[in-house]
Amino acid sequence: MLPPLLRLHHLLSAPSWTFPSLAAAAAPFPLRTPAISAPSAHHIPAHPEATCAAVNMQWEQQYRGIQRMRCGRDAPVDSFGCEVLAERGVSPRTFRFQTLVALMLSSQTKDEITAGAVRRMQQHSGGLTVENIASMSVESLQKLIYPVGFYRRKAEYLRKTANILLEQYAGDTHSTIEEIVMLPGVGPKMGYIFLNVAMERPEGIGVDVHVDRICNRLR
């Protein structure tokens, strides 16, 4: 039987994502290490084996509950997550750019709102391409992506990113995590998901605070 953390890791993996190692995410997103002090005599259970068995049984029940909850794959992220928003009939270069844009818009924003903004950009004159975004004004981008969180700042990031890609990478996206996180508004979480989805290179785990919270509750 797999250790608890690895079993949770398999549970949270979506079909289109691959999370190869917990160590890859540990560097940019270290889990909190709780302070440990020596227990006093009255805190030591009389039968530690029985206590451990009860805790393990409780963990198994919670784990099975999560399995049942997620078996339908009916959460908003399953239908509107960043990995499913890029158009499938476009060039590989445009597919990668659209995936990057979806990730940049997704921070502090509900999946449905992100999906709506990406669809509007795709349907806009010229489509969601690096050339079209670079040629648009920041004000026009703000109107397209509203009401995503921090839409004013993100519009500036999108235009700057499009110009960087055109000037330095012939309009294509970066290919390493070190390069991706140098783009304005892109952090390690976005970078690892981008490499996995757009480049088919699972080099790390894109997680947020909820994974930390769940792991701490289940251990």
Side-chain angles (χ1 to χ4, degrees), residues 2-216:
L2 290 172
L5 192 56
L6 285 181
R7 275 183 280 173
L8 179 63
H9 153 65
H10 283 285
L11 168 66
L12 297 180
S13 297
S16 58
W17 293 6
T18 303
F19 301 131
S21 70
L22 292 171
F29 298 108
L31 297 178
R32 295 191 299 271
T33 302
I36 300 175
S37 57
S40 59
H42 65 278
H43 285 155
I44 299 176
H47 303 285
E49 296 83 2
T51 302
C52 290
V55 171
N56 185 62
M57 183 179 297
Q58 183 183 27
W59 186 94
E60 291 288 348
Q61 291 173 350
Q62 294 171 337
Y63 175 72
R64 298 305 175 193
I66 294 174
Q67 278 189 316
R68 290 192 296 271
M69 181 182 65
R70 290 293 295 136
C71 66
R73 299 287 181 184
D74 54 359
V77 69
D78 298 309
S79 301
F80 305 111
C82 298
E83 80 279 9
V84 300
L85 297 182
E87 297 172 291
R88 281 348 191 227
V90 297
S91 67
R93 187 184 79 158
T94 300
F95 176 84
R96 290 190 285 269
F97 180 68
Q98 290 189 5
T99 301
L100 179 63
V101 169
L103 285 165
M104 293 175 68
L105 295 179
S106 68
S107 63
Q108 303 298 311
T109 305
K110 292 184 177 180
D111 295 312
E112 300 93 326
I113 301 297
T114 299
V118 172
R119 296 304 181 216
R120 288 192 297 274
M121 298 176 79
Q122 291 168 340
Q123 296 166 6
H124 188 262
S125 177
L128 181 47
T129 65
V130 63
E131 292 85 1
N132 195 34
I133 298 303
S135 66
M136 294 179 64
S137 66
V138 172
E139 291 75 17
S140 297
L141 284 172
Q142 290 176 353
K143 293 179 181 179
L144 270 181
I145 67 176
Y146 179 84
V148 301
F150 304 101
Y151 69 95
R152 292 186 177 89
R153 186 181 305 170
K154 289 179 181 178
E156 296 177 0
Y157 289 160
L158 289 174
R159 193 169 187 277
K160 289 179 181 179
T161 293
N163 281 294
I164 290 172
L165 298 181
L166 284 174
E167 295 170 2
Q168 301 180 17
Y169 294 87
D172 207 345
T173 46
H174 301 60
S175 58
T176 68
I177 187 64
E178 292 80 12
E179 293 174 316
I180 294 170
V181 297
M182 294 298 292
L183 292 171
V186 179
K189 175 186 173 181
M190 296 182 194
Y192 284 122
I193 296 176
F194 174 80
L195 287 177
N196 191 8
V197 175
M199 298 288 192
E200 297 184 350
R201 284 170 35 205
E203 297 182 3
I205 310 172
V207 301
D208 55 24
V209 67
H210 304 298
V211 176
D212 185 17
R213 292 172 61 192
I214 293 172
C215 291
N216 285 327

